Amino acid sequence: MFNKLIVGILQYMPESLVWIFSKRYIAGKTREDAFRVTRELNQQGIKVSLDLLGEFTTRRENIDYYKSEYIKTIFEAAYKKQDVSISVKPTMFGLLLDKEMCYNNLRDIILEAVSCNYFVQIDMEDSQCTDAEIALFNRLYREFPDRVGFVFQAYMRRTLDDIQKLAEMHPQKDLGSIRICKGIYVEPEEIAYKGKQEIRDHFLNDLEYMFQRNIFAAIATHDRKLVEGAYRLIEKYKVLVDRFEFQMLFGVTPGLRQSIVKKGYAMRVYVPFGKDWYNYCTRRLKENPFVMWHLIKALVVRN
Ligand SMILES: Cc1cc2nc3c(=O)[nH]c(=O)nc-3n(C[C@H](O)[C@H](O)[C@H](O)COP(=O)(O)OP(=O)(O)OC[C@H]3O[C@@H](n4cnc5c(N)ncnc54)[C@H](O)[C@@H]3O)c2cc1C
């Protein structure tokens, strides 16, 4: 019912109105916008993960465009000496069309990142992609162990098992960087936890396992309870500051972000940009209308 209402409203919302909601969360439409935001964050001692907007495409011309944009972005960010990593969504590079093509496209992007001394994190998308994305990561990780990281979603029932399998598959290595987040997509109950607290509990269990195995953890959340839970685990395991970082989305909970930075912990902000901002925002809202509540809340409350 609520979903239908949101979809109905969105159809009549002009782009300019959607932009009012979205501009706090997106650097802008161009690479220059992303570099400007990165410069500002880097000046505050905050690292960035650059994310070109676009996903779930099966059109070759789009795939070619995204690839060339990423390569230009990496090259220019390095020229500007920006402190960034790169986030990529495999469905932008053809995962749903041809897995081998997707692998080759991501490999080219990683090669460019390697030549510029940058790190690439492969985002996790919806459950139709989970197996293929884990396989893709395994393959790329074998080739570029210091340059590629991955993401797991705490709401997926399979996640702890997946992280354990990965750690066992690469026992001598530290798995680059593994981002743990709650998960953004709406998944069926058979495969995903639904309760707010049970997702939090699994998030912290996953994180605890990573600390026990000395896996570099990227703790991606704006949930104060999870941040406090992460602090407790860091204390419990005496985790060295260079074995984890916090990650947040651009524009979300800047107050909480600042408090983490003040503690002396590394912070990386995920900065989305690109001409596909409108499709991305409306798709996210249609998919998960609760994002709308975050947006409305964020317009009136600063947290
Ligand atoms: C760096 C980073 C990378 C991510 N990568 C992935 C990924 O690869 N795959 C994936 O499935 N998910 C990804 N996510 C999204 C993640 O899974 C969650 O959906 C999202 O972070 C919200 O969960 P939360 O832990 O912040 O808790 P919540 O309880 O959802 O949020 C806590 C508070 O943060 C604020 N907030 C949270 N999200 C938003 C928002 N979008 N807009 C405005 N305010 C907000 C609200 O004030 C909210 O009350 C990523 C998140 C981050 C921070």
Side-chain angles (χ1 to χ4, degrees):
M1 173 69 183
F2 183 62
N3 279 7
K4 279 195 185 141
L5 188 68
I6 292 290
V7 174
I9 293 172
L10 280 172
Q11 276 167 356
Y12 297 103
M13 260 198 205
E15 236 181 85
S16 53
L17 189 59
V18 180
W19 181 242
I20 293 175
F21 279 102
S22 311
K23 66 180 179 199
R24 222 185 111 181
Y25 305 101
I26 290 170
K29 296 166 195 169
T30 65
R31 287 196 297 281
E32 277 313 315
D33 293 321
F35 296 143
R36 175 182 40 78
V37 167
T38 300
R39 196 165 48 244
E40 288 162 13
L41 288 164
N42 283 173
Q43 278 164 0
Q44 298 165 41
I46 295 172
K47 300 162 200 274
V48 160
S49 194
L50 290 172
D51 171 62
L52 176 67
L53 291 170
E55 57 189 339
F56 295 110
T57 187
T58 48
R59 295 176 61 168
R60 278 177 197 270
E61 65 269 29
N62 289 349
I63 295 168
D64 293 345
Y65 165 79
Y66 292 139
K67 180 173 157 183
S68 88
E69 276 299 296
Y70 258 110
I71 288 178
K72 285 182 206 156
T73 301
I74 293 168
F75 180 81
E76 286 179 34
Y79 181 74
K80 291 174 191 292
K81 298 192 170 33
Q82 299 211 306
D83 189 353
V84 298
S85 62
I86 309 299
S87 284
V88 289
K89 289 190 168 51
T91 62
M92 252 175 130
F93 299 103
L95 187 80
L96 301 176
L97 185 65
D98 174 348
K99 293 192 178 62
E100 198 57 26
M101 176 181 70
C102 178
Y103 161 77
N104 283 315
N105 284 334
L106 282 179
R107 192 175 179 280
D108 287 346
I109 288 170
I110 295 169
L111 280 172
E112 181 68 18
V114 168
S115 75
C116 295
N117 208 17
Y118 285 150
F119 186 87
V120 176
Q121 197 121 26
I122 302 176
D123 285 359
M124 179 67 100
E125 299 176 89
D126 67 10
S127 57
Q128 67 174 320
C129 305
T130 311
D131 285 327
E133 291 183 349
I134 291 175
L136 191 60
F137 169 69
N138 268 317
R139 199 170 163 195
L140 289 164
Y141 178 74
R142 279 199 186 93
E143 208 175 341
F144 306 101
D146 306 325
R147 291 296 168 183
V148 62
F150 197 51
V151 179
F152 284 104
Q153 298 151 324
Y155 67 12
M156 293 294 282
R157 293 180 190 273
R158 56 183 285 175
T159 286
L160 185 56
D161 200 37
D162 284 338
I163 304 176
Q164 287 170 343
K165 276 190 197 140
L166 210 61
E168 279 154 23
M169 209 181 285
H170 307 281
Q172 308 307 330
K173 307 212 175 100
D174 72 0
L175 290 180
S177 158
I178 298 293
R179 179 192 301 152
I180 182 75
C181 63
K182 285 184 180 172
I184 190 88
Y185 306 92
V186 177
E187 300 290 359
E189 196 165 354
E190 304 85 74
I191 58 167
Y193 302 110
K194 291 288 167 183
K196 205 175 165 78
Q197 191 52 44
E198 67 177 341
I199 295 173
R200 280 192 184 126
D201 292 343
H202 285 279
F203 186 113
L204 292 176
N205 287 346
D206 299 337
L207 182 61
E208 183 158 19
Y209 177 78
M210 289 198 266
F211 285 157
Q212 287 165 343
R213 294 294 297 245
N214 194 28
I215 296 170
F216 183 99
I219 309 161
T221 184
H222 320 89
D223 182 340
R224 195 174 286 276
K225 291 216 163 89
L226 283 184
V227 170
E228 285 162 3
Y231 288 167
R232 284 193 292 275
L233 290 174
I234 290 163
E235 293 268 307
K236 180 174 171 187
Y237 290 97
K238 308 254 174 295
V239 189
L240 297 176
V241 284
D242 62 354
R243 296 306 299 157
F244 67 91
E245 67 184 15
F246 285 86
Q247 294 192 346
M248 289 191 171
L249 302 175
F250 175 60
V252 177
T253 59
L256 181 58
R257 181 177 87 197
Q258 206 44 40
S259 71
I260 297 172
V261 174
K262 263 199 184 149
K263 270 180 92 78
Y265 293 152
M267 169 63 68
R268 186 179 300 277
V269 169
Y270 188 97
V271 174
F273 71 98
K275 66 180 179 58
D276 280 349
W277 71 271
Y278 179 77
N279 289 339
Y280 171 83
C281 291
T282 50
R283 196 180 309 117
R284 278 285 177 279
L285 285 172
K286 284 179 194 166
E287 216 167 54
N288 191 351
F290 289 104
V291 171
M292 183 65 109
W293 291 123
H294 290 326
L295 297 179
I296 293 167
K297 205 173 102 189
L299 284 177
V300 281
V301 190
R302 286 249 154 200
N303 48 4

